[in-house]
Amino acid sequence: MDDVMIVGAGPVGLMLAGELALAGLRPIVLDKRPEPSELPKANGLAGQIVELLGHRGLLGVLAEGSGFAGPAPGFPFGQVPLRFAGHDDMPLRLLLIQQPRLERLLTERAVRLGAEIRRGHEVLGLAQDEEGVTLELSTGRARARYVVGCDGGHSTVRALAGIGFPGTTDDEVLRLGHFARDEQGPFQAPRVEGLEPGWNRTPAGRLLLTSLRPGVLIAGVRERGTLPGGPVTPDDFRAAVRRVFGRDLPLGEPIWLSGTVAQARLAERYRAGRVFLAGDAAHLFPAGGSALNVGLTEAANLAWKLAAVLLGRVPAGLLDTYEQERRPVAARALAQTRAQAALERAPGEDGDALRALLAELFADEQPLRRLAALLHGSDTRYPPAPGLEHPHPLAGRFLPDLPLDTAAGEQRTAGLLRAGRPVLLDLRDDPVPALSGDGPDPVLPEGGWIDVVRARCAEPPADVLLVRPDGYVAWAGTGGLAEAARAWFGAGPSAVRASPA
C-alpha cells in the first residue's frame, strides 16, 4: 500500500508532491488528463507563497525569464488600484510566471525528489477504512494510507468523500483570451478607441485590456448570461466584445480562449477520515490573486504533517491541525475576494462613487499596508498546539527574514529551510539547555529531525525560534520550548542535531 496518493496534477498537487518527497516520502500523483495543460490559467503568484518558494531555494528558478519577482509595485483590489510604490517594506510579493511553466518546474522538482506522476487515471470511486483509502480508477484500482484531493473546483474526491461545498455562483460570464500582437500595435498606447488599460465599464458589461509579457494582449469580457456548451471560439469572443463595447476591436490572433463563471465557495470540511482537500477542491474565490497563494501554502502545511505522521515522528492527531489552521485562512480569503467582487460589480454612479472614495482612502499608508498584509497572508497567526499557549508575538506567524552571522558565515533566515525540516534557531550567547543535544534521531540514524542553528543577529526578535518546515514559528522565547518541540514534532533533546549553518 502506498503512503499518499494525490489526485490532480495542477500547481497545488505538484507542490504537495514535491514537499512530501522532500520530507522523505514517495507520493504518487494521479491526473485524468493524458498530457499537461498548456493553458495559462494563471499568470503569476501573489502572496506568502513567493516567500516560501524562496525559503526552498526555488524562487530563482521559477523567476528565470519571468520578468519580475519581488515586492509588488501595485495591485488591483476590486478595480480599486493599490499603489505600493514609494512605501518601504510593503509585504505583498509577486512572481510573474505562467501556469504551464509553473507546473513544468514543480513537476521536475517533485520527480527529481522521488514523486511519481501518473497521467490518464481518472478517479471513479472511493472507499476508506481504518487502514487506508481505495480508489477505483478508469485504469484499475489503487490503495494508499492517505488521499489528498487537489482536483479542482469540480473535485471528484470531494464529492466521493461526502464533503459539502456551499456557496454562490455569479450571474455573469467571463470570457478571457490571450492574443498575439505586434509590439507596435494599437494597445501599446494608454488610451485607444475610448478604452484604457485595465477594466472598462459600459452599460452592457466590462471589457479588460492588459498585457503581462511582450507580444501578448490579455482581453476579457464580462456580461450577464450563461456559458453555452463547448469551448469558447474566436467568433464567440468577438460577438461578446460587440455586445459589451458596441463594435469590433483589433485584438490580434487568438492564442487561447476560455470561459468561466465565478463562484464563491468553501468546503464544509478539509478532511473526511483519511481524505484531505487542498486548493480549488477546498475553495473557490470570486476574485483573482488569492487562489494559488492559499492553495500552495495549504500544500506546504499539509505535507510536513503527513510526512511526520507517516514516518512515525508524531501521533496522527497532528493532522487535525491542518483544517484548524488552514480553513480559517481560506474563509478570510473568501471574505476579502467577495468584497473585491462586490466592488467590481457595483453599478452606475453609486458604484463609481464607492470606488473613488475607497481609492482615496487606500492612498493612505495605514489602510494600504493593512490591505497588503491581507492579500499577502502575513496577517495570519496560527493557534498554538493543544495544551500550549502563545507567549510571544512571533509564535504562530511566518518566520521573518533576518540577517544572521553563523559559523558558516553570513546568511539569512530564509536560507535555513531548504531541507524542509524544523529548525531551532538559537540567537542567545549561550546555547539553550533544554534542547542542546547533538545526538542522532533514533528514528532516522542518518540525521536529526530538528536542525539546530546557533547564530548572532543584530536585532534578534526573540532569544530562540522554533520554526516549522512550512516557515511558521512554532515557538519563540525560551520557557516551554521543550514542550513545544514535543507537541509539534514529537521531539525531545535526542531528536535535534547541530547544523553546519
Side-chain angles (χ1 to χ4, degrees):
M1 180 164 56
D2 294 296
D3 284 328
V4 182
M5 283 193 172
I6 301 162
V7 180
V12 175
L14 294 169
M15 178 74 179
L16 177 61
E19 291 289 287
L20 288 168
L22 181 66
L25 300 181
R26 296 293 178 263
I28 294 173
V29 181
L30 305 173
D31 198 283
K32 66 181 180 181
R33 298 171 300 177
E35 299 292 339
S37 173
E38 289 300 318
L39 295 179
K41 299 176 184 178
N43 291 287
L45 305 176
Q48 204 153 61
I49 186 57
V50 179
E51 291 180 274
L52 180 59
L53 292 170
H55 289 10
R56 292 293 190 265
L58 299 174
L59 194 54
V61 176
L62 294 171
E64 185 177 351
S66 72
F68 184 81
F75 205 77
F77 188 86
Q79 287 193 255
V80 178
L82 306 178
R83 308 189 190 282
F84 303 132
H87 297 280
D88 294 333
D89 300 323
M90 282 289 174
L92 186 61
R93 296 293 184 269
L94 296 181
L95 168 63
L96 294 184
I97 181 171
Q98 289 199 314
Q99 186 163 327
R101 174 173 165 78
L102 175 64
E103 291 184 5
R104 282 195 297 272
L105 294 172
L106 290 178
T107 298
E108 291 171 6
R109 178 204 184 212
V111 171
R112 183 174 67 251
L113 291 170
E116 182 181 350
I117 315 296
R118 299 179 184 174
R119 298 192 178 276
H121 298 267
E122 183 177 3
V123 174
L124 304 176
L126 180 153
Q128 58 177 312
D129 52 45
E130 293 182 358
E131 300 298 324
V133 184
T134 301
L135 294 178
E136 298 292 340
L137 306 175
S138 57
T139 53
R141 179 176 293 180
R143 185 163 168 80
R145 294 174 68 182
Y146 292 97
V147 165
V148 186
C150 301
D151 49 341
H154 298 286
S155 172
T156 299
V157 171
R158 184 188 63 236
L160 292 173
I163 299 175
F165 202 39
T168 59
T169 300
D170 202 351
D171 62 357
E172 291 185 332
V173 171
L174 169 63
R175 292 176 177 84
L176 193 65
H178 286 201
F179 298 84
R181 64 189 175 107
D182 188 330
E183 285 306 294
Q184 304 303 315
F187 292 105
Q188 289 290 341
R191 293 176 182 272
V192 176
E193 304 277 0
L195 300 174
E196 298 182 5
W199 283 102
N200 296 263
R201 292 177 177 274
T202 76
R206 283 155 284 166
L207 182 66
L208 169 69
L209 297 173
T210 189
S211 180
L212 296 175
R213 61 191 179 104
V216 177
L217 171 72
I218 300 175
V221 187
R222 282 190 183 275
E223 60 177 339
R224 289 187 180 275
T226 58
L227 279 175
V232 175
T233 67
D235 287 343
D236 294 335
F237 200 94
R238 285 191 289 267
V241 169
R242 287 193 296 272
R243 287 194 297 271
V244 170
F245 187 55
R247 59 183 183 273
D248 287 318
L249 290 174
L251 298 174
E253 187 67 23
I255 300 171
W256 72 272
L257 301 169
S258 70
T260 186
V261 177
Q263 298 186 59
R265 298 185 181 276
L266 180 61
E268 291 177 340
R269 295 174 288 157
Y270 268 32
R271 179 184 185 184
R274 290 179 171 269
V275 177
F276 295 85
L277 302 178
D280 287 353
H283 43 71
L284 290 172
F285 303 136
S290 296
L292 280 178
N293 184 40
V294 175
L296 291 169
T297 48
E298 283 169 351
N301 184 294
L302 179 58
W304 78 265
K305 296 172 181 177
L306 268 176
V309 169
L310 286 165
L311 293 172
R313 291 166 171 162
V314 298
L318 180 69
L319 295 176
D320 293 335
T321 66
Y322 172 60
E323 179 175 323
Q324 292 165 6
E325 291 181 345
R326 293 306 305 177
R327 194 173 182 279
V329 173
R332 185 160 171 76
L334 182 60
Q336 60 95 348
T337 52
R338 280 185 186 273
Q340 288 193 57
L343 272 176
E344 183 188 349
R345 287 194 301 262
E349 295 182 358
D350 291 344
D352 292 340
L354 176 61
R355 286 182 286 271
L357 177 60
L358 288 178
E360 185 177 325
L361 294 175
F362 294 165
D364 291 343
E365 183 170 354
Q366 184 176 359
L368 187 65
R369 193 171 294 278
R370 181 77 174 268
L371 275 177
L374 174 64
L375 293 169
H376 185 74
S378 55
D379 61 344
T380 296
R381 190 184 192 193
Y382 290 151
L388 297 179
E389 297 180 355
H390 273 338
H392 193 282
L394 268 181
R397 297 196 180 278
F398 199 75
L399 176 68
D401 190 18
L402 305 169
L404 302 175
D405 184 7
T406 73
E410 295 182 357
Q411 64 170 297
R412 303 189 72 86
T413 52
L416 301 179
L417 295 171
R418 297 286 176 91
R421 288 192 296 268
V423 172
L424 176 68
L425 179 57
D426 184 0
L427 301 177
R428 303 195 320 168
D429 292 335
D430 298 321
V432 180
L435 285 171
S436 59
D438 295 339
D441 182 345
V443 178
L444 295 176
E446 73 278 4
W449 165 226
I450 300 177
D451 288 343
V452 177
V453 178
R454 298 188 176 96
R456 296 291 184 92
C457 180
E459 297 181 4
D463 290 335
V464 180
L465 299 172
L466 183 60
V467 187
R468 303 176 355 170
D470 59 355
Y472 279 82
V473 177
W475 188 265
T478 50
L481 185 57
E483 290 83 355
R486 281 191 292 270
W488 283 110
F489 311 122
S494 64
V496 304
R497 71 172 193 169
S499 168

